[in-house]
Every structure is written in structure tokens, then in C-alpha cells.
Amino acid sequence: MKPLVVTSLQAVKMPRWLLLLLTVLYVVPGFIGRDPWRVADATGFGVAWTMHLAPQGVADWLMPNVLGQPVAAGGPAPFWMGALVMRLLPWVPADLAMRLTGMAWLFGLCAAVWYAVWLLCRRPEVQPADPFGASASSVDFGRAVADCGLLVMLATFGLLARAHETTVDAAQVACIGLFLFGCAHALERPIQGGALAGLAVGLTVMMRGLPIAVALTLSVMALPMLSRGYRLVAKPMLTGWVPTALIVSLAWPLALAALGDAGLAHRHRWLEWNSSQLGGPSMASLTTYARNMPWFFWPAWPIAGWAIWRWRSQRLEPAVALPAVTLLTLLCVALLAPATSESAMLPLVPPLAMLAALGIPTLRRSLSSLIDWFSVMTFSFIGLGLWAYWIALETGWPPRMAISAQRAVQGFLPRFNLTELVLGLLATLAWIALVWWRVSRHPRALWRTVALASGGMVLTWFLLMTLWLPAGNYRSTYREVAQQAGAALPQSYRCVRTLGMDTAQRATFAYFGGLRFDDQRSDCDWLLVVDRLPGAAQISAVPGNWTPVWRGQRPADRRERFRLLKRVSE
């Protein structure tokens, strides 16, 4: 590798207020001012809300379910936090309390990735050469690269929407960040860092299950064999890692056994779900990954690829080995999944962003310019499109654009909101100022390369979560139809059975409509049926005579209809 030279001007830190502002504008929008959205987001809320209500006591806290319907895909850890916040803040709406925990996970991810990169890149083996005494100090260099790592992660396309959901997937990404920070911290404080990495592995068992936990364990085992830096701290690091990982990993599965047959049955379903995550790969899944990964991981993957090549002679140094080994083990788990999913790709984002951060100080001008111009053209075009279609939806002009926008949110009646307009205008002006600064000033700071990409992503998300939030919420919520179903029920009734209802619908109908579900009772006097086109659900499987009382559907979804039926005397 050619000597790396980074001057103090290049290693100037990004203004803390600007970095914090970008992070806040990335994290907060999407968690505020909306309902639980279908499908995964509403299901995650439903699990935490059920824990908060705890109709079955401690069993609801140990066996994730939505009002009696088991949820075996994942563990309880993220929902424990949501339920605790609901109990600690009873004056806050339960759905908002759950989203506050999602906000905390995302802020934690950002902090963990920044500090992991900072700890690794201030080490002497990755410091720039100093032939003339003008190079940046180790602290300044580490801080500048850490800024780049955070900005790359914020700019990554695939992370944006999924990280703003209240699901185990979003929490698991934060857990990957904790693992990387723990391993980086272990180089200076092996026992503490090992314990943090072990905590991340244990939490992973209670989030995304065993496959990812095994991948992280293999990473911890491989690092001392590959990297001299980790070989020197292997014994004390494992001293902190082993007991923490074992205790946290085994706590929940053993607690399930204490619940008797019901707990053992849930653990069996959970283990079956774990084994189903390793049914691949297939040619179809590999093809889909090849098609989706380039956009999902843009712009991190080309910079990370360059970093791997540029640092190949120092690939065994901790700064390179930690993210590379973690990325490789997590990639193997993703490829072994029977079907492609964003959930499988999400854990790869933090280590990929860390690798990309290492590549930025050595990035060639041509690739840097390509990323800049791609960001300017892409996000300017997206921003212009969002404004144009929003104006068409609000005003009806131009007619063709208005028809197209209305078709996407059928039945939605736009309501002008001055606050949303002002916030959207301020975000757009900030984007224009950022582009002008980058083009006119030609800054030398390392983070200039990804400033436009992260700023453009923040602009896009902010416009979607201000101008388009009412329309998006209308399209993805069950609030209105759930309230209609609740209004059709009498004030007193025994319970409601369901047919064809998924966990997201169950949670939101109970939360917004106040329906009392109980599929275990045979004497329920009401039945809620979900019909999905082209056919209708057959109620003959449910004992009793039923007469229809109410029909409804979400205007934005014509394929899904609801029927509420009342039991009649035979």
C-alpha cells in the first residue's frame, strides 16, 4: 500500500452541530405523527402492547404474542423495552411510546458506529504518514473517519425505511452496532469490550435468533486467529465475552421452560423458525440478491470495495479485520436464507459503513466526483418529484400528475398544513445550500465525499415524513376501518373471534377499535372475517350461525375487505 497522507485540513472535524442536526433529522422523522403501519411495524407494536396489558401475566412477557396469537419470528427483547416505556409513560399514547423506543435504538446505532470507527482509526497502524510534519493527529484523523462512517451509514438506501420500524429487525441493527463497538473497545479495555460484545450476542438471540448470534460468535473466534491486535487481548476479551454471552443468551430460553408446556411449545416454534432461516441458498435467492444489493447498499458498497483493495496489505489490522470478518459471517447467514429479504440484508449495513469509512481517506478523485454528482442528480430529481406530485395532489394541477398521485392514495382528501410546508421548504433550502457549498467551495475535508449523499437522503426522508406523511399514514394505517368496526359493536358483548386476520390487523383493530379478541373461546358472539381477493373466506369452519352486520375496507387497499358477523340463535 502506498503511504497514506492526510493533512490537518483534510482531517478537520465536521461541525458537531451539523453532524448532530443531520442525525436528528434522519432519526426523528418517521417516528412522530403517524400510526402503526402495516405489516411488520404494527405487529411489533402489537407484541409490545400485549406485554404492557399482560392479560396472561408474565407469560405475555416471555412468549411474544398479539392478544393471544403467537409470534415466533424473533424474540422478546425489543418489545420488553417498548412495554416498559408504555408503563413508565402512561400519559403518552402507547403507539408513540413504542416508537420512542425505536428512536432510541436508531440513535444508539449511530453512536455505536461512530465510536467504533473512532476507536479503530486512532490506532497507530492506520495512521497517515507524516513526511513533512503536516499530517493530522491520531485523534483528528480518527474523528474525521468516524464522521465519514456515520455519514455513509445515513446515506445507505436500504437502511432508511426499515430502521424506522418498531420491529426486531430495526433493533437488531443497533445490536450489530453494539457488537462492533464492543469489539473495538476491547482493544483498549478487553474485559469491558468483551462483555459488551457478549451482551450484543445475547441480545441477538432474543431478537433475530440463533443464526446471526452464531455468526457474531464466529467473528469473535476468528479475530484473534487473524489479527495480531486481537491476539494480544484475546484472553481477557474472552473472559468478559463468554460469561456475558452465555448468561444473556440462555436466560430467555430457560425462562420459557419454567412456564411449562405452553413455554416449551413456544420455544419449539421459535427453534423451528430459527432452522427455517437456513434453508438456502437457491438460484432464485442468489439472483434476487445480486439484483437488489447494489441499490440497497449504495453508496457504501463501492467505497467499501475500494477500501478492501486499498488496505489489502494491512487487512489483518483490527480496523480492517473487525468490519471485514463481521461482514463476511453476516453475509453467509444472509445467503443461507431460503428467500431474499431486507431483514437478512440489514445487519450488513454497519460493518459495510465502517469499511467504507476506511476507504474514504484513500478515495480517488474520480470515484469521489462520481458519488457527488450521482447524489446531486438523484436527490435533486427525487426532491423535485416529491414537490411536484405534492403540489398536484394539493391543487389538482397539473391534472395528469394529480390523477396519478390520487391513484396511489385512493380516497385521501388532502388538507393543507402550513407547518409541513414551511418545514419542507426549509429542508429544500438547506439542500440547495449544501450543494452550493460543495460545488463552489471545493472543501478538502474527508467527509465532503459523503456529505451530499447523506444530506440528500435526509432531504428525501424529511420531505416524505412532512409533506407526504398524511398521505402515507392514510395508505398504511387501519385506524379508520378499525374504528368503524368498533362502532358497529354493542357496548356489551362477550368477545370477537377472528378468521383470516393477521397479527398487524389484530393489533390495530384492538388498539383503535377497542375489539376484544379471543379465539380460544367457542361462545364468542361476534366474528370478524378478513376476505382477500379474488375469493372470500369461508365461515363454515367456525361453528354457529352468523349474520352479517358490518362490512368495511381501507379505501387505499381494494384487495382486502372486512366483515363483522353476529351469532344468531339456532
Side-chain angles (χ1 to χ4, degrees):
M1 175 178 172
K2 296 179 181 179
L4 171 65
V5 179
V6 177
T7 66
S8 56
L9 288 177
Q10 292 175 302
V12 64
K13 70 177 182 180
M14 190 175 190
R16 296 299 95 178
W17 67 268
L18 180 56
L19 187 65
L20 181 61
L21 179 62
L22 277 175
T23 304
V24 170
L25 292 180
Y26 181 91
V27 173
V28 175
F31 285 119
I32 304 297
R34 67 171 179 87
D35 297 330
W37 285 351
R38 61 184 186 105
V39 174
D41 184 67
T43 298
F45 160 72
V47 174
W49 188 49
T50 302
M51 290 179 177
H52 164 63
L53 299 175
Q56 302 179 75
V58 69
D60 285 317
W61 286 77
L62 294 177
M63 298 187 297
N65 69 94
V66 177
L67 301 172
Q69 186 170 343
V71 178
F79 312 119
W80 286 343
M81 185 175 175
L84 286 172
V85 174
M86 291 178 196
R87 293 201 170 185
L88 292 173
L89 305 177
W91 60 89
V92 175
D95 59 317
L96 176 58
M98 182 60 183
R99 290 196 299 277
L100 290 178
T101 66
M103 199 183 300
W105 286 116
L106 192 48
F107 274 124
L109 169 65
C110 294
V113 168
W114 192 94
Y115 278 103
V117 178
W118 181 67
L119 289 171
L120 292 171
C121 289
R122 66 179 188 173
R123 292 177 60 81
E125 60 266 16
V126 294
Q127 289 302 301
D130 192 12
F132 306 109
S135 288
S137 67
S138 60
V139 173
D140 289 342
F141 177 75
R143 189 169 49 200
V145 179
D147 291 347
C148 294
L150 178 56
L151 292 176
V152 169
M153 189 175 68
L154 297 185
T156 303
F157 278 29
L159 179 67
L160 184 64
R162 295 303 299 271
H164 287 85
E165 294 179 342
T166 53
T167 64
V168 292
D169 299 328
Q172 179 61 66
V173 185
C175 211
I176 299 296
L178 175 63
F179 172 81
L180 293 167
F181 169 71
C183 290
H185 189 52
L187 293 166
E188 298 181 4
R189 300 198 174 187
I191 296 178
Q192 292 181 9
L196 288 174
L199 175 63
V201 172
L203 290 175
T204 294
V205 173
M206 294 189 288
M207 289 184 185
R208 284 291 298 168
L210 298 175
I212 294 181
V214 171
L216 298 181
T217 300
L218 291 176
S219 299
V220 171
M221 297 295 103
L223 284 171
M225 294 186 287
L226 297 174
S227 174
R228 182 175 179 273
Y230 281 103
R231 196 175 304 121
L232 295 174
V233 298
K235 186 175 180 179
M237 179 180 174
L238 291 176
T239 301
W241 181 84
V242 172
T244 307
L246 286 176
I247 292 171
V248 179
S249 298
L250 295 175
W252 175 57
L254 292 177
L256 284 175
L259 294 178
D261 292 340
L264 292 175
H266 186 90
R267 189 171 69 181
H268 180 70
R269 288 191 295 268
W270 176 73
L271 290 172
E272 285 186 333
W273 171 78
N274 275 274
S275 63
S276 71
Q277 302 303 299
L278 302 174
S282 65
M283 184 56 67
S285 66
L286 294 176
T287 303
T288 306
Y289 274 133
R291 184 170 60 248
N292 292 340
M293 280 185 172
W295 70 262
F296 191 92
F297 295 118
W298 180 271
W301 71 265
I303 308 177
W306 168 255
I308 292 172
W309 170 256
R310 192 68 173 80
W311 291 88
R312 62 191 183 279
S313 61
Q314 294 172 275
R315 61 187 178 276
L316 301 183
E317 299 297 343
V320 183
L322 172 60
V325 170
T326 306
L327 179 66
L328 182 60
T329 56
L330 293 174
L331 179 61
C332 291
V333 172
L335 295 178
L336 287 174
T340 57
S341 67
E342 293 183 9
S343 300
M345 293 189 287
L346 276 175
L348 279 67
V349 173
L352 196 64
M354 290 176 63
L355 273 177
L358 275 177
I360 287 176
T362 66
L363 206 62
R364 290 182 176 176
R365 185 181 297 272
S366 57
L367 184 55
S368 177
S369 299
L370 173 64
I371 294 172
D372 275 350
W373 285 110
F374 178 86
S375 301
V376 170
M377 299 301 294
T378 299
F379 292 114
S380 296
F381 180 78
I382 292 174
L384 181 62
L386 291 173
W387 272 108
Y389 276 97
W390 179 80
I391 292 172
L393 182 65
E394 292 283 337
T395 65
W397 186 90
R400 293 184 65 180
M401 293 181 70
I403 293 172
S404 178
Q406 190 62 56
R407 189 181 298 119
V409 285
Q410 296 181 33
F412 175 70
L413 298 176
R415 297 180 180 87
F416 178 75
N417 188 306
L418 181 60
T419 303
E420 294 169 356
L421 175 63
V422 171
L423 290 175
L425 286 172
L426 290 175
T428 305
L429 291 175
W431 167 248
I432 294 172
L434 180 63
V435 173
W436 178 258
W437 166 83
R438 177 69 179 91
V439 172
S440 63
R441 298 286 297 275
H442 300 291
R444 301 182 63 185
L446 292 179
W447 47 268
R448 74 190 186 281
T449 302
V450 286
L452 287 176
S454 57
M457 187 62 72
V458 168
L459 168 73
T460 300
W461 186 242
F462 197 80
L463 291 180
L464 284 171
M465 293 296 108
T466 51
L467 300 180
W468 284 95
L469 182 59
N473 193 57
Y474 170 85
R475 192 173 187 273
S476 300
T477 182
Y478 286 99
R479 177 193 287 265
E480 184 177 341
V481 69
Q483 290 174 342
Q484 292 172 6
L489 288 166
Q491 289 187 352
S492 62
Y493 62 93
R494 283 190 293 271
C495 56
V496 179
R497 293 191 66 174
T498 65
L499 181 64
M501 176 167 274
D502 61 31
T503 51
Q505 295 161 345
R506 192 179 186 88
T508 48
F509 270 71
Y511 182 63
F512 291 121
L515 279 70
R516 299 193 299 272
F517 295 117
D518 193 339
D519 290 333
Q520 304 303 316
R521 292 179 59 176
S522 60
D523 61 341
C524 286
D525 44 357
W526 290 86
L527 174 66
L528 183 59
V529 181
V530 182
D531 298 320
R532 293 178 175 84
L533 296 180
Q538 299 297 319
I539 65 172
S540 57
V542 183
N545 294 324
W546 305 92
T547 183
V549 174
W550 168 85
R551 294 176 184 269
Q553 66 183 87
R554 296 189 310 116
D557 190 346
R558 301 292 183 182
R559 299 168 298 175
E560 191 177 70
R561 298 176 182 177
F562 302 90
R563 288 185 288 157
L564 189 62
L565 301 96
K566 182 180 180 180
R567 185 189 294 271
V568 295
S569 301
E570 298 183 6

